């Protein structure tokens, strides 16, 4: 989704801004722009629809240079993706603003500002902010005071960066509902919506909190909180190397991230297992006390993270008997919910900034839940900071828009949660925890073996290159795995893919099946195998083409119209983790064959920070 970069320094900051935008490209965007105050004190800008590379080319032809500036990648919400709507937006060539988020009362503000004589040159909600600021600046004379006054009139979500030609030594920022981080340098300071944008210039960061306003100068950073009090925010020194921006030997980040899964799953497990037990304290110091009280679990997430939650429901109810409900955040947040006593409220998110998931957590506070827990990949994210308990998945930065290693590490985290909760309440079958801990220890190396199927999957992908529709089938805990497989395929190859519980076929979707419709199925050797086989017969009888990822002991044979890709026998409980990998590879190779933009599929954003 939209990205912000800002810098104030003694050197020319244009290359820093452009590099920052490149590092944010993975988030998805449709136009980009940059504004600086040049050596004559003039605000200058360049904007382009399309990729940052086009902006960079334009910058080579009409070089911009300055010691203070802001830049943006836009993902269109209000107004088409075109140059006129790209940020930065200007008011009278005096103020420039970049904005992430959505201003809900933009229509009313636009009318007011037009009444005051302001001319609008874009269709965006953002343009009201820059004119409002211009008006306040002329009224008050001070940019920080003007920003504090202007944000009082904004309804909605924003992360803002502002520069004004009349005050060329300071960069202003405001955060409400859209993250911002300040990067600290030596005699220079920076701003971004994601620290990744600034890793080339600093490893010291402070994170703005909800309602904060910041004034960033070359040699100082001042912050005021939502009440207007001047506050200090903790500075964090990041240890991890700037590994993320590098694809290494791989053609795409997605393929790199698929192959990283053995290593990152190992990291998710590190420090979380004792000899034959899960360490409850891995979820936080209060976890042991709280887990003993949990009678019910409510899981909230979006997209791929929601699918991880669906798998967890099978584990929690199946292995511990603790009731569990799973819902997408965008529905849950607007629903009146009857909260069961002693319910643990669990959010799952790769980014920790997904607007709907965060809103659901905020609504849950004070609604009667026992406590909140997040399973998240970003330690500094809003979800982590605002939840009572947390388990970091430690998957490392995920750059491909399609979530891969984030999903499997979430599953590992959720299995750890299942075992920790089950033991806290003596609800696990004797010996089960020790058995599954052993299986978890073997998981990284066995995932490496599963990746050995890559060539076979690449071959099968050819069957999909010309297709327009596919069905994914699974039963039981494999149903959410099928849902995740279908989501991966549709988002990066643009082939319409739907997932169904295999038993639902004859209640409608069977009507779609013909020889032009590949049907993908995951078939571990579990208690539902025989039922699944009957469902697959229904598909065969209608001429459907089956592609089955099947346990080598499942007795599935290759026949006309049936491609069987054998999988080694795996533990039934961990099967959803193993069976996810070939489906990720399948969608990857289909997308490559179709020539799509695998890492940045059209219309999608990595971190969905607007509703
Ligand atoms: C799909 C994908 C999305 C995200 C969803 C939630 O590959 O990545 O469906 O899973 O937008 O994002 P997070 O997990 O960051 O809350």
């Amino acid at each position: 989704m939209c990205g912000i970069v800002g810098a104030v320094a003694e050197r020319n900051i244009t290359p820093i801004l452009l590099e920052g935008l490149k590092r944010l490209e993975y988030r998805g965007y449709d136009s980009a722009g940059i504004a600086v105050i040049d050596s004559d004190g003039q605000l200058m800008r360049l904007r382009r629809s399309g990729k940052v590379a086009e902006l960079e080319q334009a910058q080579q032809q009409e070089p911009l240079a300055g010691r203070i500036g802001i830049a943006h990648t836009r993902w269109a919400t209000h107004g088409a993706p075109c140059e006129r709507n790209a940020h930065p937006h200007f008011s009278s060539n005096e103020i420039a603003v970049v904005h992430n988020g959505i201003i809900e009362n933009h229509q009313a503000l636009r009318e007011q500002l037009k009444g005051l004589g302001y001319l609008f040159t874009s269709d965006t909600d953002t343009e009201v902010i820059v004119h409002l600021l211009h008006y306040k600046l002329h009224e008050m004379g001070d940019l920080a005071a003007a920003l504090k006054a202007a944000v009082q009139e904004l309804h909605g979500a924003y992360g803002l960066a502002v520069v004004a030609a009349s005050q060329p030594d300071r960069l202003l920022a405001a955060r409400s509902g859209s993250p911002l981080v300040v990067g600290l340098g030596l005699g220079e300071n920076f701003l971004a919506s994601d620290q990744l944008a600034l890793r080339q210039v600093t490893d010291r960061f402070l994170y703005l909190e909800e309602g904060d306003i910041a004034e960033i100068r070359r040699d100082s950073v001042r912050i005021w909180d939502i009440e207007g009090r001047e506050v200090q925010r903790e500075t964090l020194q990041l240890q991890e190397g700037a590994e993320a921006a590098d694809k290494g030997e791989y053609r795409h980040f997605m393929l790199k991230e698929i192959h990283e899964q053995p290593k990152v799953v190992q990291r998710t497990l590190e420090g979380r297992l004792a000899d034959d037990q899960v360490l409850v304290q891995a979820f936080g110091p209060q976890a042991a006390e709280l887990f003993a009280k949990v009678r019910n679990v409510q899981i909230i997430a979006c997209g791929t993270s929601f699918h991880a939650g669906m798998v967890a429901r099978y584990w929690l109810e199946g292995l511990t008997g603790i009731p569990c409900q799973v819902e997408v955040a965008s529905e849950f947040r607007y629903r009146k919910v009857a909260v069961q006593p002693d319910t643990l409220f669990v959010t799952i998110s790769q980014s920790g900034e997904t607007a709907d998931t965060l809103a659901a957590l905020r609504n849950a506070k004070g609604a009667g839940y026992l406590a909140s827990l997040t399973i998240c990949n970003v330690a500094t994210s809003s979800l982590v900071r605002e939840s009572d308990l947390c388990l970091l998945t430690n998957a490392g930065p995920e750059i491909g828009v399609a979530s891969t290693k984030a999903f499997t590490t979430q599953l590992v985290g959720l299995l750890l949660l299942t075992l920790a909760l089950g033991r806290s309440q003596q609800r696990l079958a004797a010996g089960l925890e020790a058995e599954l801990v052993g299986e978890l220890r073997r998981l990284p190396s066995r995932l490496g073996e599963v990746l050995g199927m890559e060539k076979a999957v690449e071959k099968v992908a050819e069957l999909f290159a010309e297709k327009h529709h596919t069905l994914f089938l699974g039963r039981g805990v494999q149903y959410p795995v099928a849902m995740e497989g279908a989501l991966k395929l549709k988002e990066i190859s643009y082939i319409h893919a739907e997932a169904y519980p295999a038993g639902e076929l004859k209640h409608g979707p069977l009507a779609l099946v013909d020889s032009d419709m590949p049907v993908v199925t995951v078939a571990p050797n579990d208690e539902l195998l025989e039922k699944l086989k009957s469902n697959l017969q229904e598909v065969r009888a209608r001429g459907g083409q089956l592609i089955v990822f099947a346990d080598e002991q499942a007795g599935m044979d290759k026949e006309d119209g049936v491609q069987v890709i054998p999988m080694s026998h795996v533990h039934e409980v961990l099967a959803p983790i193993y069976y996810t990998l070939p489906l990720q590879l399948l969608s990857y190779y289909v997308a490559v064959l179709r020539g799509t933009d695998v890492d940045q599929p059209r219309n999608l954003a990595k971190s969905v920070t607007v509703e």
Side-chain angles (χ1 to χ4, degrees):
M1 204 135 272
C2 305
I4 288 177
V5 192
V8 49
E10 235 177 324
R11 51 179 164 153
N12 174 22
I13 44 74
T14 309
I16 299 173
L17 298 182
L18 287 171
E19 173 62 22
L21 291 187
K22 281 195 237 157
R23 287 168 175 256
L24 293 181
E25 281 192 293
Y26 77 96
R27 297 168 68 97
Y29 68 102
D30 42 55
S31 56
I34 176 170
V36 300
I37 302 177
D38 71 8
S39 51
D40 299 328
Q42 302 293 315
L43 256 179
M44 305 297 287
R45 94 181 144 185
L46 267 180
R47 299 180 294 174
R48 286 293 179 271
S49 73
K51 296 282 175 186
V52 175
E54 287 164 48
L55 183 69
E56 217 173 9
Q57 243 176 28
Q59 144 74 16
Q60 276 157 14
Q61 281 151 17
E62 309 165 40
L64 284 190
R67 294 177 179 177
I68 181 165
I70 53 181
H72 192 257
T73 44
R74 172 174 188 255
W75 188 79
T77 56
H78 295 63
C82 60
E83 193 170 316
R84 194 167 57 84
N85 288 332
H87 303 207
H89 288 285
F90 277 14
S91 188
S92 310
N93 278 357
E94 289 176 32
I95 303 188
V97 165
V98 294
H99 164 222
N100 286 358
I102 290 177
I103 302 304
E104 287 166 5
N105 59 335
H106 71 101
Q107 205 55 50
L109 286 171
R110 184 178 272 253
E111 294 311 316
Q112 264 176 37
L113 289 158
K114 275 186 182 167
L116 291 167
Y118 284 98
L119 287 178
F120 281 77
T121 57
S122 79
D123 310 316
T124 62
D125 52 337
T126 302
E127 199 179 350
V128 301
I129 307 174
V130 73
H131 294 316
L132 183 62
L133 259 170
H134 181 270
Y135 181 75
K136 299 280 180 198
L137 182 62
H138 279 257
E139 213 177 43
M140 310 175 98
D142 175 72
L143 188 59
L147 181 59
K148 285 177 198 171
V151 296
Q152 299 297 323
E153 296 184 29
L154 303 179
H155 301 167
Y158 53 81
L160 293 175
V162 182
V163 287
S166 59
Q167 308 189 12
D169 52 352
R170 54 186 183 160
L171 168 62
L172 269 291
R175 172 194 171 148
S176 181
S178 195
L180 283 177
V181 53
V182 177
L184 304 171
L186 289 175
E188 52 188 21
N189 287 315
F190 312 95
L191 177 76
S193 49
D194 181 333
Q195 69 206 25
L196 210 57
L198 302 176
R199 291 307 302 269
Q200 83 279 19
V201 280
T202 185
D203 55 6
R204 286 191 309 135
F205 294 97
L206 50 89
Y207 299 87
L208 298 189
E209 294 193 1
E210 283 298 280
D212 280 358
I213 302 243
E215 179 197 68
I216 304 156
R217 295 175 187 259
R218 262 198 331 97
D219 46 10
S220 68
V221 176
R222 292 178 74 189
I223 299 171
W224 295 269
D225 71 4
I226 197 163
E227 309 290 347
R229 289 174 302 226
E230 189 158 355
V231 287
Q232 302 287 330
R233 299 284 175 227
E234 191 189 351
T235 302
L236 291 182
Q237 175 105 34
L238 299 190
Q239 304 299 334
E240 204 181 322
E243 55 179 309
D246 183 11
K247 287 202 276 269
E249 67 197 82
Y250 295 98
R251 184 165 161 199
H252 295 101
F253 280 110
M254 183 180 175
L255 189 61
K256 174 180 177 230
E257 287 157 5
I258 290 174
H259 279 271
E260 277 175 355
Q261 290 176 107
K263 179 179 84 187
V264 296
V265 160
Q266 180 70 48
R267 270 201 243 151
T268 314
L269 292 171
E270 255 159 37
R272 270 94 192 241
L273 300 177
D275 282 353
D276 52 6
Q277 284 193 341
V278 173
L279 294 168
V280 180
Q281 58 271 36
F283 294 85
Q286 303 155 274
E289 189 193 330
L290 286 167
F291 281 9
K293 297 184 189 152
V294 172
R295 295 284 164 271
N296 190 47
V297 175
Q298 171 71 64
I299 298 181
I300 295 298
C302 301
T304 287
S305 300
F306 168 70
H307 297 153
M310 298 257 304
V311 171
R313 184 174 67 162
Y314 285 91
W315 283 338
L316 274 161
E317 297 203 343
L319 303 179
T320 73
I322 299 173
C324 173
Q325 299 82 45
V326 192
E327 193 167 341
V328 288
S330 53
E331 287 300 314
F332 178 85
R333 66 179 287 193
Y334 290 115
R335 195 164 71 74
K336 229 179 155 60
V337 178
V339 180
Q340 299 291 322
D342 298 319
T343 298
L344 181 67
F345 185 85
V346 178
T347 55
I348 309 170
S349 174
Q350 187 285 127
S351 62
E353 301 293 351
T354 300
D356 286 322
T357 313
L358 194 53
L361 170 66
R362 289 178 181 158
N363 292 352
K365 297 211 164 147
Y369 290 97
L370 176 68
S372 58
L373 161 70
T374 188
I375 308 252
C376 187
N377 191 32
V378 180
T380 50
S381 64
S382 303
L383 276 179
V384 170
R385 282 185 283 133
E386 296 183 28
S387 299
D388 303 317
L389 303 173
C390 144
L391 185 89
L392 289 174
T393 48
N394 296 335
E398 191 179 62
I399 305 293
V401 162
S403 213
T404 51
K405 61 176 181 171
F407 179 67
T408 40
T409 53
Q410 284 167 350
L411 291 181
V412 171
L414 288 161
L415 186 53
L416 294 177
L417 175 66
T418 304
L419 295 175
L421 272 176
R423 178 159 40 83
S424 301
Q425 309 199 2
Q426 287 110 43
R427 283 168 174 266
L428 293 172
L432 181 65
E433 186 174 17
E435 180 186 337
L436 289 178
V437 165
E439 288 295 330
L440 281 168
R441 288 187 198 285
R442 285 187 281 280
L443 181 63
S445 68
R446 298 206 64 190
L447 287 176
E449 286 159 30
V450 175
L451 289 171
M453 315 163 57
E454 186 166 358
K455 282 275 163 261
V457 179
E458 188 177 354
K459 183 94 194 76
V460 168
E462 290 167 15
L463 296 174
F464 293 75
E466 305 296 328
K467 302 291 184 202
H468 300 290
H469 306 277
T470 56
L471 264 183
F472 281 69
L473 302 178
R475 288 204 77 135
V477 72
Q478 295 298 335
Y479 168 47
V481 172
M483 291 171 82
E484 175 57 10
L487 177 65
K488 283 293 88 94
L489 188 71
K490 75 180 95 167
E491 69 182 320
I492 62 167
S493 73
Y494 317 147
I495 294 176
H496 170 221
E498 277 195 70
Y500 267 92
E504 276 289 297
L505 261 190
K506 50 178 131 2
H507 300 289
L510 204 51
L512 295 172
V513 171
D514 61 15
S515 58
D516 213 27
M517 166 79 100
V519 178
V520 181
T521 313
V522 277
N525 193 3
D526 61 17
E527 59 187 16
L528 290 171
L529 179 66
E530 292 311 316
K531 304 261 176 227
L532 179 72
K533 282 183 178 169
S534 323
N535 301 140
L536 299 187
Q537 283 313 317
E538 294 160 8
V539 173
R540 274 309 297 137
R542 273 92 194 162
Q545 301 294 303
L546 278 168
I547 294 93
V548 192
F549 294 94
D551 188 305
E552 60 198 4
Q553 300 169 7
M556 294 261 183
D557 296 322
K558 186 171 174 346
E559 52 179 283
D560 231 18
V562 185
Q563 290 271 339
V564 179
I565 303 102
M567 302 269 294
S568 315
H569 180 67
V570 294
H571 194 285
E572 194 177 320
V573 171
L574 280 79
I577 308 177
Y578 290 109
Y579 278 77
T580 294
L581 268 53
L583 299 189
Q584 294 172 342
L585 286 168
L586 179 67
S587 61
Y588 173 77
Y589 280 108
V590 175
V592 168
L593 281 174
R594 290 168 68 92
T596 59
D597 189 348
V598 172
D599 285 332
Q600 290 167 40
R602 68 185 183 200
N603 307 340
L604 297 181
K606 182 68 187 163
S607 178
V608 184
T609 48
V610 294
E611 250 193 279

